[in-house]
Amino acid sequence: MLIIFLLTYEIGTIYNTVKSKTLSKIKFRYINSKGDLNMQNNKLYWKLSSFFFLFFLSIASIFTFFAIWLGQSLNLSGAQTGIVFSVNAVFTMLFQPLYGYISDKLGLRKNLLYFISILVILSGPFLIFIYQPLLNWNFWIGALTGGSYLAITFLAGISAIESYIEKVGRKYEFEFGRARLWGSIGAAVAAAIGGRMLNINPDINFWIASGSGILLLLVIFLTKVEVSTIEEKKAKSLSVQDLGSLFKRKDFWIFMIFMLGTGCIYNVFDQQFPVYYASLFPTEQLGNQIFGYLNAGQVFLESGMLLVAPFIVRKVGPKGGLILAGIIMILRVIGSGLVSDPYSISFIKLLNAPEFAIIIVSVFKYLATHFDTKFSSILYLVGYQFAMQLGAVILSPIVGNLYDSIGFRQTYLIMGGIVTIFTLFGTFLLRNQNQASKDRNDSKLTA
């Protein structure tokens, strides 16, 4: 009862915050910012949006049905699948701080995007001719080899790409969410066709990923981002000690802990959800195909939510956005454990759209509000993504074993309880927006 009361109180606080602000004033500022007015003619915006579209088309072609592929095509158990995800998370966790440091050191230069694009081109041949045979021959060698490649290419690469485009968006005054929505559309396209391709031949999805990589390389070659002398000097001034200084800040640890118990559960919950969803249908093939359509619809809805998420986060504040996303996550995870029919579970799955859109925008806003933007990539890849992967390393095999022993629904209820605890943690300890000025000064002092 206390938990319900506290969460209800937080929802009321968010509502009152929204109500107290003048809608017309915010709407005017939102619509008439320079970036929004120039968006249609902003070639850079459209090129980077197309990069998002193609990259997410490739990553969704591989990972939307990854758990199903491991279980149905390679006959891995739930525990083994959990280990694969855990190994992927370990390597992702290792590469993210490195990507964050390199990205901030490079500033707005495109070197990382070229590197990742080339790796995406190689993804199809790798998965078909190297990863799958290795998993069949020796599970651990296959898991370690695949984990390192998938992490550096996709699982850590996605964070480096998001961080880079967010920095470019701040410079050229377009909302990150409005560029990122094209990534969701790309993922939706992959999900819409991926289920049918999986039933025909899973390799088709992997070749789609490689084909997208070729177009990625072309797009980034044609994209020109101006790098001023001041920006170049600022990037070069970054040192390894700057990364260590972040870990001396209490508010940075609080943010990481919050993400560990919320964003991490978001990822772990989704890992084997397609397997559970397909099991609710008369045949796995029908379940795979319907899940593809459902996931496509959810991701299209997600892209629409990314249009309005910046507006929502402006109104409730970055902290309010994080807590709101946590509350939606609680409803989604616990709801999945309470219902058992395909119709109800499909409806609950759609809650993923507002949840993701609000949390991704809130994370960038929260970090930009409370920390020096000089460290934007490090903050995002370490504070947000690293924390989630650390949790996934710990939880993925545990959750995989729980799926095998007590079933999906009971496991979802346990996971929902964890999200509830960490959402309450964030409610009391995350920083409010009126503390932003002091936070940025502290960040500069520790740099």
Side-chain angles (χ1 to χ4, degrees):
M1 290 299 294
L2 177 61
I3 290 174
I4 294 173
F5 170 76
L6 289 171
L7 289 177
T8 304
Y9 174 80
E10 183 61 25
I11 294 172
T13 301
I14 293 172
Y15 172 76
N16 289 331
T17 302
V18 172
K19 188 175 180 181
S20 65
K21 295 185 177 183
T22 306
L23 177 61
S24 59
K25 181 179 178 181
I26 295 175
K27 186 175 181 180
F28 178 85
R29 186 174 70 234
Y30 179 71
I31 295 176
N32 291 283
S33 66
K34 184 185 295 184
D36 289 340
L37 278 175
N38 295 332
M39 185 175 296
Q40 297 299 326
N41 299 319
N42 193 330
K43 293 181 180 180
L44 185 60
Y45 163 81
W46 288 112
K47 287 177 181 177
L48 291 177
S49 294
S50 64
F51 192 91
F52 259 146
F53 176 88
L54 292 166
F55 184 80
F56 277 85
L57 179 67
S58 64
I59 194 171
S61 295
I62 293 172
F63 287 99
T64 299
F65 302 96
F66 191 64
I68 292 176
W69 177 67
L70 292 173
Q72 295 180 11
S73 299
L74 304 187
N75 297 314
L76 299 187
S77 66
Q80 286 179 311
T81 300
I83 291 171
V84 168
F85 280 108
S86 184
V87 170
N88 290 349
V90 169
F91 281 104
T92 303
M93 189 171 61
L94 294 175
F95 286 121
Q96 280 170 339
L98 180 62
Y99 264 154
Y101 176 73
I102 293 173
S103 182
D104 280 335
K105 196 72 175 175
L106 290 172
L108 297 179
R109 286 180 286 172
K110 302 181 295 182
N111 305 56
L112 273 182
L113 274 65
Y114 277 117
F115 175 68
I116 292 170
S117 298
I118 292 171
L119 289 177
V120 173
I121 293 173
L122 300 174
S123 62
F126 173 82
L127 289 162
I128 297 168
F129 302 117
I130 299 176
Y131 188 42
Q132 181 173 343
L134 281 178
L135 283 173
N136 288 329
W137 173 64
N138 186 297
F139 172 75
W140 281 104
I141 293 177
L144 292 170
T145 304
S148 60
Y149 174 83
L150 293 172
I152 198 170
T153 306
F154 296 105
L155 303 175
I158 185 175
S159 306
I161 290 169
E162 287 177 332
S163 176
Y164 177 84
I165 295 179
E166 191 273 337
K167 283 191 285 190
V168 175
R170 274 190 279 115
K171 176 176 179 177
Y172 288 92
E173 299 184 284
F174 60 80
E175 282 281 2
F176 168 80
R178 291 199 166 192
R180 177 60 176 75
L181 72 88
W182 291 99
S184 296
I185 293 174
V189 171
I193 63 176
R196 186 177 294 273
M197 296 301 103
L198 182 72
N199 290 334
I200 298 172
N201 187 337
D203 292 353
I204 297 174
N205 286 326
F206 301 150
W207 288 119
I208 290 174
S210 283
S212 299
I214 296 172
L215 296 177
L216 278 175
L217 198 61
L218 177 62
V219 169
I220 200 60
F221 177 76
L222 297 174
T223 301
K224 185 176 182 181
V225 179
E226 298 290 344
V227 182
S228 68
T229 304
I230 294 175
E231 290 168 337
E232 191 168 355
K233 287 182 178 179
K234 184 177 180 181
K236 288 182 178 179
S237 69
L238 192 68
S239 66
V240 177
Q241 287 73 25
D242 292 329
L243 179 60
S245 69
L246 289 174
F247 289 93
K248 298 177 182 179
R249 295 190 54 177
K250 178 182 176 182
D251 53 338
F252 183 68
W253 280 102
I254 289 172
F255 176 77
M256 284 189 66
I257 292 170
F258 173 78
M259 296 314 308
L260 188 67
T262 54
C264 166
I265 298 297
Y266 166 91
N267 280 347
V268 175
F269 173 84
D270 282 347
Q271 285 173 357
Q272 299 195 46
F273 180 80
V275 177
Y276 171 61
Y277 186 83
S279 71
L280 301 177
F281 290 83
T283 65
E284 290 180 338
Q285 290 73 21
L286 177 61
N288 295 343
Q289 189 169 333
I290 297 298
F291 179 77
Y293 297 145
L294 173 66
N295 200 59
Q298 175 246 301
V299 180
F300 272 122
L301 180 59
E302 177 183 295
S303 65
M305 285 301 304
L306 280 165
L307 278 173
V308 300
F311 175 68
I312 294 171
V313 175
R314 279 196 185 101
K315 297 186 74 175
V316 304
K319 175 184 175 180
L322 292 173
I323 300 303
L324 180 59
I327 293 170
I328 298 172
M329 198 180 304
I330 293 168
L331 296 174
R332 184 165 74 95
V333 178
I334 292 180
S336 297
L338 294 177
V339 301
S340 59
D341 62 285
Y343 300 102
S344 299
I345 205 78
S346 297
F347 175 77
I348 291 173
K349 166 68 174 166
L350 296 178
L351 291 175
N352 193 11
E355 171 194 327
F356 172 79
I358 292 171
I359 199 169
I360 191 71
V361 173
S362 297
V363 164
F364 277 117
K365 297 289 186 184
Y366 187 88
L367 294 176
T369 298
H370 297 285
F371 298 91
D372 189 346
T373 54
K374 174 183 177 180
F375 313 122
S376 59
S377 293
I378 292 175
L379 287 164
Y380 179 65
L381 274 86
V382 177
Y384 175 50
Q385 295 290 351
F386 180 88
M388 291 202 301
Q389 297 305 323
L390 176 62
V393 169
I394 299 169
L395 289 178
S396 292
I398 297 174
V399 170
N401 277 300
L402 287 175
Y403 288 150
D404 289 338
S405 59
I406 65 175
F408 283 90
R409 293 177 62 191
Q410 289 77 11
T411 304
Y412 290 158
L413 294 176
I414 294 172
M415 295 170 73
I418 295 173
V419 179
T420 302
I421 292 170
F422 280 87
T423 300
L424 288 171
F425 169 87
T427 299
F428 291 109
L429 295 179
L430 285 174
R431 311 283 277 182
N432 294 313
Q433 194 159 357
N434 56 15
Q435 297 170 299
S437 179
K438 179 180 182 301
D439 289 341
R440 281 195 294 267
N441 289 335
D442 291 345
S443 181
K444 290 175 182 177
L445 287 173
T446 57

mmCIF file of all heavy atoms in Angstrom, residues 1-8:
data_model
loop_
_atom_site.group_PDB
_atom_site.id
_atom_site.type_symbol
_atom_site.label_atom_id
_atom_site.label_comp_id
_atom_site.label_asym_id
_atom_site.label_seq_id
_atom_site.Cartn_x
_atom_site.Cartn_y
_atom_site.Cartn_z
ATOM 1 N N MET A 1 0.829 -1.206 0.000
ATOM 2 C CA MET A 1 0.000 0.000 0.000
ATOM 3 C C MET A 1 0.863 1.255 0.000
ATOM 4 O O MET A 1 0.554 2.259 -0.646
ATOM 5 C CB MET A 1 -0.922 -0.001 1.224
ATOM 6 C CG MET A 1 -2.029 -1.039 1.158
ATOM 7 S SD MET A 1 -3.139 -0.798 -0.263
ATOM 8 C CE MET A 1 -3.885 0.756 0.193
ATOM 9 N N LEU A 2 1.986 1.213 0.761
ATOM 10 C CA LEU A 2 2.875 2.369 0.806
ATOM 11 C C LEU A 2 3.462 2.653 -0.566
ATOM 12 O O LEU A 2 3.543 3.801 -0.999
ATOM 13 C CB LEU A 2 4.000 2.103 1.816
ATOM 14 C CG LEU A 2 5.086 3.205 1.929
ATOM 15 C CD1 LEU A 2 4.439 4.515 2.382
ATOM 16 C CD2 LEU A 2 6.179 2.763 2.890
ATOM 17 N N ILE A 3 3.854 1.575 -1.282
ATOM 18 C CA ILE A 3 4.428 1.738 -2.621
ATOM 19 C C ILE A 3 3.412 2.368 -3.563
ATOM 20 O O ILE A 3 3.712 3.294 -4.320
ATOM 21 C CB ILE A 3 4.908 0.378 -3.175
ATOM 22 C CG1 ILE A 3 6.137 -0.094 -2.386
ATOM 23 C CG2 ILE A 3 5.234 0.468 -4.653
ATOM 24 C CD1 ILE A 3 6.598 -1.490 -2.745
ATOM 25 N N ILE A 4 2.164 1.870 -3.512
ATOM 26 C CA ILE A 4 1.111 2.418 -4.373
ATOM 27 C C ILE A 4 0.885 3.889 -4.060
ATOM 28 O O ILE A 4 0.738 4.725 -4.958
ATOM 29 C CB ILE A 4 -0.192 1.614 -4.194
ATOM 30 C CG1 ILE A 4 -0.006 0.176 -4.706
ATOM 31 C CG2 ILE A 4 -1.349 2.297 -4.923
ATOM 32 C CD1 ILE A 4 -1.187 -0.721 -4.409
ATOM 33 N N PHE A 5 0.874 4.224 -2.749
ATOM 34 C CA PHE A 5 0.656 5.621 -2.353
ATOM 35 C C PHE A 5 1.768 6.521 -2.879
ATOM 36 O O PHE A 5 1.517 7.599 -3.430
ATOM 37 C CB PHE A 5 0.605 5.730 -0.823
ATOM 38 C CG PHE A 5 0.624 7.150 -0.317
ATOM 39 C CD1 PHE A 5 -0.512 7.945 -0.398
ATOM 40 C CD2 PHE A 5 1.789 7.698 0.196
ATOM 41 C CE1 PHE A 5 -0.480 9.256 0.049
ATOM 42 C CE2 PHE A 5 1.819 9.000 0.643
ATOM 43 C CZ PHE A 5 0.677 9.786 0.577
ATOM 44 N N LEU A 6 3.033 6.067 -2.743
ATOM 45 C CA LEU A 6 4.165 6.896 -3.163
ATOM 46 C C LEU A 6 4.178 7.098 -4.674
ATOM 47 O O LEU A 6 4.456 8.181 -5.170
ATOM 48 C CB LEU A 6 5.474 6.245 -2.704
ATOM 49 C CG LEU A 6 5.721 6.300 -1.183
ATOM 50 C CD1 LEU A 6 6.930 5.442 -0.826
ATOM 51 C CD2 LEU A 6 5.927 7.731 -0.709
ATOM 52 N N LEU A 7 3.875 6.015 -5.429
ATOM 53 C CA LEU A 7 3.839 6.155 -6.885
ATOM 54 C C LEU A 7 2.690 7.047 -7.315
ATOM 55 O O LEU A 7 2.815 7.852 -8.240
ATOM 56 C CB LEU A 7 3.719 4.774 -7.544
ATOM 57 C CG LEU A 7 4.970 3.890 -7.460
ATOM 58 C CD1 LEU A 7 4.691 2.529 -8.088
ATOM 59 C CD2 LEU A 7 6.143 4.560 -8.145
ATOM 60 N N THR A 8 1.543 6.920 -6.630
ATOM 61 C CA THR A 8 0.404 7.789 -6.934
ATOM 62 C C THR A 8 0.749 9.245 -6.647
ATOM 63 O O THR A 8 0.404 10.151 -7.405
ATOM 64 C CB THR A 8 -0.827 7.369 -6.097
ATOM 65 O OG1 THR A 8 -1.105 6.000 -6.356
ATOM 66 C CG2 THR A 8 -2.035 8.218 -6.461
#
